[in-house]
Amino acid sequence: MIADTKYIGKPTRRVDGIKKVTGNATYSAEFNPEHLVHGYIINSTISRGKIVAINDKEALKVPGVRQVFTHKNIPEEVKIDSDYTDPLAPPGNPFRPFYNEDILYNGQPVALIVADSFETAAYAAGLVKIDYEKEEGCEVDLKANLQNATREDVPDPPEPRGDAAKAYESSKHQVDVEYYLPRHYQNPMETFATVAIWNAEEQGFTIYDKIQGVGSSQQYISGIFNLEKEKVRVLSPFVGGGFGSGLRPQYQLFCAAMASKVLNLPVKVVMTRTQMFSFGHRPACLQRLKLSSDETGKLKSINHEAFGETSRFEMFNETVVDWSGMMYQCDNVKLDYQLVPLDVYTPMDMRAPGGATGMYALECAIDELAIEAGVDPLEFRLINYADIDQNEGKPYSSKELRAAFLKASESFGWEKRIAKPQSMQDGNNLVGYGMATGVWEALQQESSAKAILTSEGKLTVSSGTADIGTGTYTIMSQIAAEIVGIPLEDVEFQLGDSSLPKAPIEGGSWTASSVGSAVKLVCHALQKKIFGYAQQSFPEELKGAMFEEAEFSNRHLSVKSTRLSYSEILAVSGQNSVETSVNSQPADDRSKYSCYSHSCVMVEVHVDKDTKMITVPRVVSAIAGGKILNPKTAESQILGGITWGISMALEEEGMMDSRNGRIMNANLAEYHVAVQADIQDLEVIFVPEHDEIVNPLGAKGLGEIGIVGVASAICNAIYNATGKRVRELPITLDKLV
Amino acid sequence: MNNISYKRAQSVETAIEHIGSKKESSRFIGGGTNLLDLMKYRVENPEHLIDINHLDLSKIENSDSGGLLLGATKTNADTAYHELVEEQYPLLSEAMLSAASAQLRNMATNGGNLLQRTRCFYFYNTSTPCNKREPGSGCSALKGFNRIHAILGASEHCIATHPSDMAVALAALDATVHISGAEGDRTIAATDFHKLPGDTPHIETNLEPGEIITGIELPEKGFAKNYHYLKVRDRPSYAFALVSVAAAIELENNTIKDIRVALGGVAHKPWRKPSVEKEFIGKEANTENFEQLADKLTDGAKGYGNNDFKIPLVRKSIVRALTEAMNK
C-alpha cells in the first residue's frame, strides 16, 4: 500500500480537459482522411415483414451519389462464412445488417446511401422508395406478451433457500407488488460514428469507431470480413459517452467498413439522433415481489420474479433478481428471471444494467414492507443487514454500508422525517423523504499494460482501454506518476488503439480496477528494471541495497543515503529508455470473497398539491466504493449517476407504439432526461473503505453505483409526501393527479 | 432534407414579392427553430426559403393606440426581457420565459412563435398516418400515445394541441396580429389567429398563403398588477405544457373588475371564452368563483385515454393560477 501519496487519491483535473474544452480532442466522426465519402442510413418503417421492392433510380441520379447499398447488392463475402459476433454477444444470432429482405424490427437499417457529402447522401436517401410486405401482428409490449416468457438460454438465478411461499403465508406483514420499468435509451451525447479506411494493398482496415473497447470492433470486423485481427486496426481515442451503448459494435460500423471495401474509399457514417433509438436499449422489465416480515420488521421471505424483454434473435440477459437474494438476511428466498422475445432489437447494457432495474423494485418493495411493519425504512435495513453475501455465503472483501447509512442520514437529517404521508409541507408543496440502498459488483478483469521511461524523463504508459468520459486518461496517469515517481505532466497515457496491449472493454465499472491494477503492476516492474540498471551501473553506491528499501520519487531512486536520478542511471547504463510490459490477473484470493460497492441514497421531494409537479431539491448519496483514486472525477461519476437516477425516476421512457413497433419520441425534445433546472442540491460522500482483497489498488470502480437506488429513493419519497405509491416508472405527474 | 433555394429579403414588400406565385412551395424563415427541425424530419418540404430576419421588423415600440407593438422578427428572449414588456405586460414576459430553453429563445422570433407547429408524435413521424401532415390519412393519436393531446375543441380528425406559451398570454391580453400580403395589410385578433382542427387540421391559422406576420400589438391594458402564467409540465425547463394557464385579474377591493383566463396545452389553439369571463365581472374574487369559472371554461372537455388526467388538472390549475394572480 502507498502510505503517503502525491497523486493517487488527490482531486486532480482531467489531463485531457484542455483538449476537450478547446476542441482538440478528436472524436471518431472528426477524422477526415483524403477522398472521404459519406454514408447515410435508411431505416425500416415496419416492424415485421419483408422488403419487396427498392427503387433507388432517382437517388442514383443525384450528382455526387456513389452507391446505394441494400441486401440486394452487398458483397456475398459478408454473407457467407462470416461471423457477426462480438465479445459481448448474448446467446443467439447477432443481427446482420442488409443480410436479406426480412424485417426484424421497426427502425432496422435497410439501405446505405454513399455520396460525396453528408447532405447529398441525406437528400438522396429521401428519394429511395422502399416497398414492404407487412406481416400482421407486432409484439413489442412486454406486459401484453408475458405468455411467451421463457427460461431457455437464460442463466439460472441463485438456488432457492428455505420455503418462501410457506414463510410468506405465515408472516405477520406482507407485501405483494408489481413494478414496471419501461425501455430506456442510453443516448450518449456523441452519436455513433465510424470512419473506415480500407487498404487494398495491405488487405486491411484502419477504423475510427465510437466504441467502449477497440477489441470489440476489431473482433466484429475481422469476423465479418474473414481477416486476421492484425489486419483490422481500430482506434477510438475519445468517446463522447457510452453508458453501455458502445459495449457492442453498432450497425454504422458495418456500413462504413463494407462500403469502404467495396468502393475502395474511406467512408464515414454518422448516426442521427433518431437512429440512436434504433438499436440496443435498457430492456423493459416487469417485476413481482412478495416480501414478508415478522412484527419486529425481521424479513421472513423474499420472492422476486422478473420478466425482461429481448429480441427474437438474441437472448439478452442481465442480473435483475440476484440482488434480492444477496442484500438482506433472509432464510426463505425464491428468485426467478425470464425473458420475453419481442419484435425489437436486442436490448443491451445501460448504466448499472440489471442492478438499476432489480434494485429499483427491491428497494421500493422493502420500503413498502417497512411501512407495513411500522418500522423506519433505515431501521428496517439495519435490522436485516447482511454481513455476508447471502447468495454465496461468502464474506465481503469490504462492506462499509453501515457507515454509509450513518453518514448519509447525518448529513441529510433523516431523523426529521415524519413517517405519516402528507405530514410535511413547504408552501404549496407536500414534502417527502425517501431512501434506498445501492449495490454494484466490484469486478476485475485480466488486463495488460506497457510502460516506457525515456532518458529525458518522459513516461509513456499504454493499454488498449477506453476513456468514455469517465477519466481513464487521468487516473491512469495519476497511478503511473505516483509509482514511477515523476511529475504528472511528464506522463502520457495512451489508450483506444487495438495495437496497444489488450485491455477489457470499458464497462461494468471495472476499468479503474482492472487497467489500474495493470498500470500499477507495470510501473512496479519499471521500478525493478530501473533498480536493476542502477545496481549494474552504481555497484559501489548500491552495495547490499534491496529493492524493497528503495524509494522512487521526484525522478530519483533513493536507497539509504544514496540518491540517483533516473537520467543518470540510464546514461551510465547506456540506455535511451527503459521499457516493461505486464499482464495483470485478478488474484486467486478474490474468489473467496464477494466484492461489491454499496451506497445509501436519501432524497427530499416536493410535490405541488395542485399541479402534482415533482421536484427533487436534495439528494445525499454516501458511497462505500473502496479507495477513491481521484475524488474529483469520482464525484463527477456519482453526480452523473444521481442525475440519471432522477431522469429514470421522473422522466425517461421510450414510447414504442404497440401498433407498429415504432419509437414515437426518438429525439431529445420528447425523450426526456433531467435538464439543468431539474438538478438542485446534490451531495456525494465517500465513506472510507479499506480493501486489500478487491485488487492491488483497493479501488472498486464508480461508474454504475451512483445511479442504483436513486429511482427507488425518489419513489419512496413521493409516497412519503403524498401517500400514493406509484409502481411504474417514470413517475410523471399524471400518475399523481 | 431536400434541396432548397434561399433568398434573403430586405423589406416586407420584397419578401411578399419573392413568395409571389410559389406560395405553397415556399416558407418564410425567421429563427428557424421549428422549421429546420421539420425539414430534417421531412415533415415540411419547402423548395424555397425566404429569410425575413433582415426586414425592419425587430423593434418594440409604443403603438398609436397606446399599447405596444412587438416586431415580428424580434427574438423571444429580447422581447421577454424588454423593459416595457416586463413592466407593462409581465404576464407575457413570464409566459415567454417559461418556453423552450434559453438557446431556443435567443433564436426564435415572435412571428415564428405563433406559427410553430404541434408536437404531436405522429405529426413528426412520417411513417405514421396524420391528417395534419397528410390530409385524409387518419389520426394516429386518437388511439395512440395521446398524453399530451387536446381535451377541448378537438375533432375525430385531429387531437393535436398548439404548443406555444406566448400565444396563450397573447390571447389572454387581447393582442392583435399585424399581417401584410399582396392584397395589403390587415389585422387578426390573437384569439382568432389559430383555428380549431375541424376536418381541416392541416390549416392551422387564418393567415393566408403568402401573407407575412409583421408584428403583434398589445392593447394598453396590460394587467401588470395581478397576473400569473402557470405552466404544468414534465420537467421544469425545455418541456411543452401539459396544461398552462394565463391568468389576469383586475381587482377593486376584492371584486373582479376584469378577468382573463387563457389555456395552453389543451386545444388546437389558445383556449379562451370571453363570455364566461364576463359572467364573473362584479363577483367576488374567491376560490368558489374561480372553481365555477374553471368548470365553465372547460365545459365539454373530453379525454382520449392517456390525457384524461388533463381534465381535473386543468381545472385545478385555473384556480391555482387565479389564486396566485390575486396574491401577486
Side-chain angles (χ1 to χ4, degrees), chain B residues 226-248:
Chain B
N226 293 105
Y227 65 91
H228 188 65
Y229 188 74
L230 175 66
K231 183 170 178 178
V232 184
R233 48 179 155 175
D234 282 324
R235 61 181 174 191
S237 173
Y238 193 42
F240 292 91
L242 292 165
V243 159
S244 73
V245 185

Side-chain angles (χ1 to χ4, degrees), chain B residues 13-322:
Chain B
E13 293 71 32
T14 53
I16 293 168
E17 213 171 283
H18 284 324
I19 209 161
S21 58
K22 295 174 270 183
K23 294 184 181 74
E24 300 299 333
S25 58
S26 302
R27 291 284 183 280
F28 294 122
I29 183 164
T33 52
N34 191 210
L35 179 61
L36 289 178
D37 272 357
L38 291 165
M39 286 167 68
K40 287 178 193 169
Y41 282 110
R42 294 196 173 90
V43 174
E44 294 256 21
N45 297 291
E47 290 164 28
H48 312 285
L49 286 185
I50 298 154
D51 185 342
I52 55 168
N53 286 294
H54 297 264
L55 310 191
D56 188 20
L57 296 176
S58 61
K59 290 198 188 83
I60 290 182
E61 54 199 356
N62 291 312
S63 71
D64 299 340
S65 60
L68 198 64
L69 188 66
L70 313 174
T73 62
K74 189 87 171 165
T75 67
N76 286 179
D78 287 345
T79 305
Y81 289 120
H82 194 280
E83 207 182 2
L84 294 176
V85 177
E86 281 184 325
E87 264 174 32
Q88 297 169 23
Y89 309 95
L91 174 64
L92 176 62
S93 188
E94 207 171 79
M96 292 181 81
L97 292 176
S98 75
S101 63
Q103 294 91 331
L104 287 163
R105 294 194 295 268
N106 284 339
M107 283 300 288
T109 62
N110 293 335
N113 189 305
L114 297 183
L115 295 176
Q116 65 179 304
R117 308 198 66 188
T118 184
R119 307 305 298 195
C120 172
F121 312 113
Y122 301 93
F123 173 68
Y124 264 79
N125 198 308
T126 53
S127 72
T128 55
C130 169
N131 285 326
K132 188 184 276 301
R133 183 167 30 74
E134 217 181 305
S137 60
C139 174
S140 301
L142 274 176
K143 288 179 179 165
F145 291 113
N146 54 34
R147 184 173 168 272
I148 63 172
H149 288 71
I151 50 169
L152 288 162
S155 75
E156 59 182 318
H157 303 285
C158 181
I159 59 169
T161 59
H162 193 263
S164 171
D165 291 297
M166 181 188 189
V168 181
L170 292 176
L173 291 169
D174 265 343
T176 315
V177 183
H178 289 227
I179 290 160
S180 285
E183 309 294 308
D185 298 347
R186 64 184 184 116
T187 59
I188 308 178
T191 46
D192 295 331
F193 186 79
H194 297 97
K195 293 162 68 97
L196 288 177
D199 55 5
T200 55
H202 58 292
I203 302 168
E204 291 166 355
T205 69
N206 283 308
L207 197 67
E208 295 294 329
E211 281 188 320
I212 184 171
I213 299 173
T214 56
I216 296 159
E217 188 176 352
L218 293 159
E220 193 177 354
K221 193 167 171 180
F223 293 88
K225 195 155 177 283
N226 293 105
Y227 65 91
H228 188 65
Y229 188 74
L230 175 66
K231 183 170 178 178
V232 184
R233 48 179 155 175
D234 282 324
R235 61 181 174 191
S237 173
Y238 193 42
F240 292 91
L242 292 165
V243 159
S244 73
V245 185
I249 322 181
E250 197 183 341
L251 288 168
E252 209 165 60
N253 298 319
N254 207 35
T255 305
I256 299 169
K257 206 176 154 205
D258 198 355
I259 187 166
R260 306 279 176 82
V261 183
L263 308 177
V266 293
H268 204 252
K269 60 181 287 188
W271 191 259
R272 200 184 142 200
K273 282 188 183 169
S275 59
V276 169
E277 292 164 4
K278 274 201 196 89
E279 287 180 40
F280 290 85
I281 292 172
K283 289 191 178 169
E284 201 186 328
N286 60 29
T287 307
E288 203 188 328
N289 281 328
F290 293 163
E291 280 170 354
Q292 272 189 30
L293 185 149
D295 286 345
K296 288 188 172 184
L297 180 56
T298 58
D299 187 36
K302 182 182 173 212
Y304 294 87
N306 300 160
N307 68 349
D308 293 348
F309 75 97
K310 282 191 179 183
I311 300 170
L313 177 64
V314 72
R315 288 177 182 154
K316 277 208 159 167
S317 300
I318 293 166
V319 176
R320 173 69 171 275
L322 285 166

